[in-house]
Amino acid sequence: MGNLNTLFENNKNWSQQIQLDDPQFFTRLANQQNPKYLWIGCSDSRVPANELVGLMPGEVFVHRNVANLVNHTDFNCLSVIQYAIEALKIEEIIVCGHYRCGGIHEAMENSCKGLVNNWLRHVQDIEFLHKSFLESVDDQTEKYDRLCELNIIEQVRNVCRTTPAGSAWDEEKSLTVHGWIYNLSNGLLHDLGVSVSGKEEIMPVTDRGIEAVYARKERFHG
Ligand code: CO
């Protein structure tokens, strides 16, 4: 427990600092949250949602899991999406993955063990879906980078096909789902250009995104 005391000290300092800048900050926030964005990201400690887009508490609704996956039987993630759209009236959903994602690597190397193996099977399904392309990439780093990108685009598709997203579009509510990737090496985000704003856009927009990934030759890490 000794080491955790530092966290409480940090917390006290953080709270004081925020109130110095804005004395009403916590009172205001305690009454209502009004985030404009839903962030679906990886649990990786190096990819903190708020910090890397410079947002304060109250400004981004967050769901994170290993390898930023959106599965149609994951009621945790689905509930977050529903709450974001229906209760918080969020109109922008960001699926943000990152290069050097450990989950993607484990799936690619087939080296994951135990329970997490089952979770990462979803990534292996994506690998299988893009098998011929991935087999054509000789460089392992490039292959790893491409799979990180493809995973994000597939998760954008998954978000778009959830019932809450479908209902929002049926009701002609404004809703856009984006796919971004974060580069650990320079702290920068890159938009994969797969922003979907309606049911009819899902396949054409994400297909174009996948073609762009297939054509990409860059290596983003190493
Ligand atoms: Co990760």
Side-chain angles (χ1 to χ4, degrees):
M1 185 64 196
N3 291 341
L4 297 187
N5 286 336
T6 320
L7 302 186
F8 284 100
E9 272 165 41
N10 290 350
N11 168 251
K12 212 181 285 172
N13 294 337
W14 173 79
S15 163
Q16 278 167 359
Q17 192 54 53
I18 286 186
Q19 289 178 84
L20 270 178
D21 296 340
D22 179 357
Q24 295 307 309
F25 184 81
F26 290 112
T27 323
R28 212 170 48 240
L29 217 58
N31 291 328
Q32 197 193 356
Q33 67 163 333
N34 190 24
K36 297 271 174 281
Y37 318 96
L38 165 60
W39 175 281
I40 300 175
C42 183
S43 298
D44 193 305
S45 65
R46 300 166 294 179
V47 195
N50 284 68
E51 282 91 333
L52 62 91
V53 285
L55 292 178
M56 292 294 281
E59 295 185 302
V60 58
F61 198 56
V62 175
H63 178 79
R64 289 167 70 181
N65 62 41
V66 174
N68 43 271
L69 302 180
V70 176
N71 298 317
H72 291 269
T73 49
D74 177 3
F75 292 111
N76 181 356
C77 182
L78 294 178
S79 303
V80 169
I81 293 173
Q82 180 181 10
Y83 192 78
I85 294 175
E86 293 175 14
L88 298 172
K89 315 281 181 216
I90 283 174
E91 298 180 1
E92 312 285 345
I93 300 180
I94 298 150
V95 177
C96 185
H98 65 107
Y99 294 113
R100 292 186 121 150
C101 180
I104 303 288
H105 193 256
E106 298 280 296
M108 211 172 109
E109 298 290 311
N110 211 7
S111 57
C112 32
K113 303 234 163 38
L115 181 66
V116 72
N117 186 28
N118 298 277
W119 181 250
L120 293 174
R121 276 301 306 270
H122 296 293
V123 178
Q124 291 179 331
D125 288 345
I126 290 165
E127 208 182 344
F128 185 72
L129 209 61
H130 299 280
K131 195 170 183 275
S132 40
F133 162 70
L134 290 167
E135 279 178 357
S136 75
V137 183
D138 293 329
D139 185 287
Q140 284 302 305
T141 305
E142 259 186 56
K143 191 185 288 195
Y144 184 11
D145 286 349
R146 299 296 86 81
L147 185 56
C148 290
E149 294 161 353
L150 290 169
N151 176 52
I152 294 162
I153 299 176
E154 294 295 344
Q155 304 316 320
V156 166
R157 273 186 179 160
N158 287 349
V159 173
C160 293
R161 286 171 171 155
T162 58
T163 34
S167 305
W169 283 325
D170 287 343
E171 292 161 23
E172 292 182 358
K173 285 183 192 161
S174 166
L175 177 71
T176 306
V177 184
H178 309 268
W180 296 354
I181 192 155
Y182 176 70
N183 190 341
L184 295 170
S185 311
N186 59 14
L188 294 176
L189 287 166
H190 172 73
D191 186 348
L192 289 172
V194 288
S195 299
V196 175
S197 302
K199 273 185 182 173
E200 68 293 342
E201 293 181 10
I202 303 173
M203 292 318 285
V205 169
T206 53
D207 276 345
R208 270 203 303 278
I210 288 166
E211 274 168 39
V213 170
Y214 282 7
R216 200 167 287 146
K217 290 278 174 257
E218 294 138 290
R219 296 161 55 130
F220 288 96
H221 81 256

